[in-house]
Amino acid sequence: MTGKPERMTGARAFVECLYRENVEVLFGYPGGVLLPIYDELYDAHLHHLLVRHEQAAVHAAEGYARATGKVGVCLATSGPGATNLVTGIANAYMDSIPLVAFTGQVPSSMLGNDAFQEANITGITMPITKHNYLVQDAKDLPRIIKEAFHIASTGRPGPVLIDMPKDVTTDEIDFVYPDKVELRGYKPTYKGNSQQIKRAASAIAKSKRPVIYAGGGVIGSDASKELLSFAEKIRAPVTTTLTGIGGFPNDNELYLGMPGMHGTKYANYAIQESDLLIAVGARFDDRVTGKLKSFAPNAKIIHIDIDPAEISKNITVDIPIVGDAKNILKSLLPHVSECDTKEWLDKIAIWKRDFPLHYINREDAIKPQYIIEQINEACPDAIIVTEVGQHQMWAAQYFKYKEPRTFITSGGLGTMGYGFPAAIGAKLGRPDKVVFDVSGDGSFQMNSQEMATIVQNDIPIIIALFNNGYLGMVRQWQALFFEHRYSHTTIEDSVDFVKLAEAYGALGIRVEKPSDVRPAIEKAIEANRPVILDFIVEREENVSPMVPAGAAINEILDLERTQ
């Protein structure tokens, strides 16, 4: 750096740091201790989006990060403002999303005194952040912000929290923004071990029944093209986890869909009969593996992951390769050739023919699956963001995703209320895309206050609301495993969603007949404004197929056929 450092307050330095990190959108909510920062934001050349609840700010930042690949940024005040971020931070941690969350804090002199709106947010978030900071001296703020963005976006991405006491924002410093980050002990491994890569190539060459199991790490490392080249070169079928959807084109002949509890039968059968499972940027979570002891019983397992802590955490791995998925797939490609998988692929083709995803359509009731198919036909390039529940699984099963970052959902934490604010972030990050929030009537009500945000800011999101008057997924489990005793899962007639939309100044359209589904979707797209499509769907439709909890994944039930 040349010249004399500029003298400025911590609040001004905060804004300067965001400029240096090329932050485009800051999702936030003000409060007393943040007033110095908000005063600086008044004149800043930075898009600050005022949400109506801090939880929405962090989910919107996540949605922005997932849609763009950039770091999402949110800001909340101390105490309850900070704790309202906790669910979203945990969500980002579980799904490995790059996020920097800033919180205000009471003045340093009052820390530990149970002051008004004091909460130990660094202590609270320690288990759910990749790293967190309590800034104790204003002069450290630029360095800490530089480090936070680096940590959030490198290695296995994740959330970083920076807690800023009020005096840190008012004290004056000589502003110097570091050119580089030096963190002792933090050196993510990006290149795989060459010997392990050769071992993996040898195992692939010997395999007759390989399956590629790809997760969100493929999208996070921008490895979709390499995955496609790899799968087509060795002629191996590909299944993607919930957060990996979009990482492999769904219309490719090698695609198997999602595995696990609500995956396709043929994906589960293929994993169970495989002799080699190649996991790429994927966790072996319980929704995928089912009964651990019965998972992929005959398969040798190769696990490619940037986080060594994931290796052999749930499933014993034969060939671990720690590193970035994109780099390792690139390294593997020259060492592999087409496998003798014709007989294997022929067998899978028969499974696909005999056990396709299916539902029984009706002319007198709207099937949720039909809505997803119609959205797909009307707008195949849309970004689909979901809440959590039955609609989430139908959106994963029936929309044909062709590109990464077009399916955004809460995978690990399963956060109801996530989708709508995440859709706001996705739309701000990708204004060129039509963005749908596929929602249940239960999930939507957890953050429906953000209608005010999208109307005030003219953010054209389409909420495709599957209104069945139930907390649908819980009801499904009560139907299957608790003798249809629907204990506290009925929410019918709780709100008129069309009037709700109109009350906020949005467009509300109620759809009660299958023949009106497609025209309503097209009208919503054409309107290019905030819309709620209130689809009155068949009330007790189940997500099928389904693996009961604790069962092996090939013990999968076709609910339509067993009812």
Side-chain angles (χ1 to χ4, degrees):
M1 184 173 178
T2 58
K4 187 177 180 181
E6 185 179 353
R7 191 79 176 162
M8 63 179 69
T9 64
R12 176 64 187 160
F14 168 86
V15 174
E16 285 293 332
C17 292
L18 297 193
Y19 288 157
R20 305 298 176 97
E21 293 296 332
N22 298 313
V23 173
E24 298 168 326
V25 189
L26 174 62
F27 302 91
Y29 202 100
V33 300
L34 288 180
L35 286 176
I37 283 180
Y38 270 87
D39 191 58
E40 288 292 340
L41 288 172
Y42 188 79
D43 296 318
H45 302 294
L46 187 65
H47 185 180
H48 176 278
L49 188 77
L50 173 65
V51 294
R52 296 301 185 269
H53 191 291
E54 292 89 350
Q55 185 182 356
V58 63
H59 290 327
E62 286 181 71
Y64 176 87
R66 293 194 193 210
T68 64
K70 302 174 184 175
V71 177
V73 186
C74 61
L75 173 66
T77 192
S78 58
T83 56
N84 281 340
L85 297 181
V86 169
T87 297
I89 292 171
N91 195 85
Y93 186 74
M94 291 285 280
D95 286 350
S96 305
I97 304 304
L99 178 80
V100 175
F102 293 94
T103 51
Q105 183 56 277
V106 301
S108 301
S109 60
M110 300 175 72
L111 282 170
N113 292 348
D114 294 334
F116 177 68
Q117 292 196 333
E118 180 188 3
N120 180 5
I121 194 62
T122 51
I124 291 169
T125 59
M126 188 171 291
I128 54 168
T129 50
K130 193 172 174 185
H131 194 60
N132 66 21
Y133 296 89
L134 170 64
V135 186
Q136 297 179 305
D137 191 320
K139 72 177 186 335
D140 294 332
L141 188 60
R143 172 186 59 79
I144 287 174
I145 292 177
K146 179 78 174 178
E147 289 177 1
F149 276 83
H150 176 72
I151 293 170
S153 59
T154 54
R156 181 176 182 168
V160 179
L161 180 135
I162 301 174
D163 197 28
M164 301 177 292
K166 186 175 181 179
D167 52 292
V168 166
T169 65
T170 55
D171 287 351
E172 289 198 343
I173 63 170
D174 292 325
F175 180 79
V176 177
Y177 202 62
D179 295 326
K180 59 182 181 179
V181 172
E182 294 181 7
L183 291 168
R184 184 181 300 174
Y186 179 72
K187 293 182 179 177
T189 301
Y190 288 96
K191 293 184 178 179
N193 180 284
S194 59
Q195 293 304 313
Q196 294 298 77
I197 288 173
K198 288 178 181 176
R199 282 187 64 201
S202 175
I204 291 168
K206 295 173 185 173
S207 173
K208 300 293 184 184
R209 302 187 305 280
V211 171
I212 298 171
Y213 165 58
V218 170
I219 296 173
S221 68
D222 192 26
S224 298
K225 290 181 180 177
E226 287 74 15
L227 177 64
L228 178 61
S229 299
F230 177 67
E232 290 188 329
K233 187 171 185 181
I234 68 172
R235 299 298 297 165
V238 179
T239 181
T240 55
T241 66
L242 183 68
T243 55
I245 288 176
F248 192 82
N250 289 188
D251 56 356
N252 189 288
E253 61 174 341
L254 294 172
Y255 188 58
L256 298 177
M258 183 174 64
M261 179 172 283
H262 292 298
T264 63
K265 281 192 170 184
Y266 39 90
N268 286 359
Y269 291 165
I271 287 175
Q272 291 301 83
E273 292 200 19
S274 66
D275 63 3
L276 180 69
L277 191 63
I278 308 166
V280 186
R283 295 187 298 128
F284 290 91
D285 76 278
D286 60 290
R287 283 294 193 269
V288 167
T289 63
K291 187 178 181 180
L292 274 174
K293 290 184 178 177
S294 302
F295 181 74
N298 302 311
K300 180 173 284 191
I301 295 180
I302 300 170
H303 193 177
I304 298 168
D305 203 293
I306 198 160
D307 185 355
E310 281 299 326
I311 305 293
S312 292
K313 186 167 78 176
N314 297 326
I315 296 289
T316 301
V317 172
D318 298 284
I319 304 174
I321 309 178
V322 176
D324 176 76
K326 187 183 186 81
N327 287 340
I328 292 173
L329 289 175
K330 276 185 174 178
S331 299
L332 257 177
L333 273 166
H335 297 286
V336 297
S337 56
E338 183 173 337
C339 297
D340 180 15
T341 57
K342 183 179 184 309
E343 186 176 339
W344 177 228
L345 294 177
D346 287 346
K347 186 172 187 176
I348 289 173
I350 293 172
W351 285 334
K352 284 185 173 181
R353 181 196 67 193
D354 292 346
F355 307 110
L357 286 172
H358 74 99
Y359 64 97
I360 299 172
N361 213 350
R362 289 170 47 181
E363 294 183 355
D364 60 342
I366 300 176
K367 290 285 190 166
Q369 303 93 328
Y370 176 72
I371 299 171
I372 298 295
E373 290 177 337
Q374 291 304 303
I375 294 174
N376 185 57
E377 288 187 16
C379 198
D381 297 326
I383 291 178
I384 304 296
V385 188
T386 80
E387 308 285 345
V388 168
Q390 288 181 306
H391 59 278
Q392 179 189 29
M393 294 298 106
W394 288 315
Q397 292 173 331
Y398 286 91
F399 196 93
K400 305 302 179 188
Y401 304 91
K402 300 181 181 65
E403 299 177 8
R405 305 192 183 282
T406 55
F407 180 63
I408 296 172
T409 195
S410 171
L413 198 63
T415 306
M416 290 178 68
Y418 168 83
F420 182 25
I424 295 173
K427 183 63 181 177
L428 291 189
R430 293 297 308 271
D432 55 314
K433 290 279 193 178
V434 176
V435 175
F436 283 83
D437 170 35
V438 174
S439 175
D441 44 339
S443 270
F444 180 68
Q445 291 185 63
M446 285 198 169
N447 269 316
S448 61
Q449 78 283 344
E450 299 307 321
M451 287 298 298
T453 303
I454 64 170
V455 170
Q456 182 189 17
N457 294 280
D458 194 21
I459 303 172
I461 290 169
I462 302 170
I463 297 119
L465 194 145
F466 293 10
N467 187 348
N468 61 8
Y470 283 119
L471 302 177
M473 188 62 90
V474 186
R475 181 212 58 76
Q476 177 169 331
W477 281 55
Q478 288 174 331
L480 296 172
F481 308 117
F482 292 88
E483 300 177 338
H484 292 82
R485 289 160 55 86
Y486 296 158
S487 178
H488 303 285
T489 45
T490 302
I491 55 171
E492 61 184 326
D493 300 326
S494 57
V495 62
D496 184 325
F497 291 103
V498 171
K499 289 183 178 176
L500 180 76
E502 293 171 349
Y504 280 111
L507 176 62
I509 304 173
R510 179 163 296 118
V511 187
E512 300 180 90
K513 296 188 299 184
S515 59
D516 291 339
V517 169
R518 181 64 173 269
I521 293 169
E522 292 175 347
K523 183 177 180 180
I525 295 170
E526 188 178 353
N528 193 32
R529 55 180 289 206
V531 180
I532 293 180
L533 291 171
D534 182 20
F535 292 109
I536 310 302
V537 300
E538 184 161 313
R539 294 201 68 199
E540 299 199 9
E541 184 72 8
N542 287 332
V543 178
S544 182
M546 179 179 183
V547 178
I553 61 170
N554 56 343
E555 297 171 351
I556 188 166
L557 305 178
D558 188 332
L559 299 182
E560 289 285 359
R561 295 178 181 177
T562 54
Q563 284 175 343

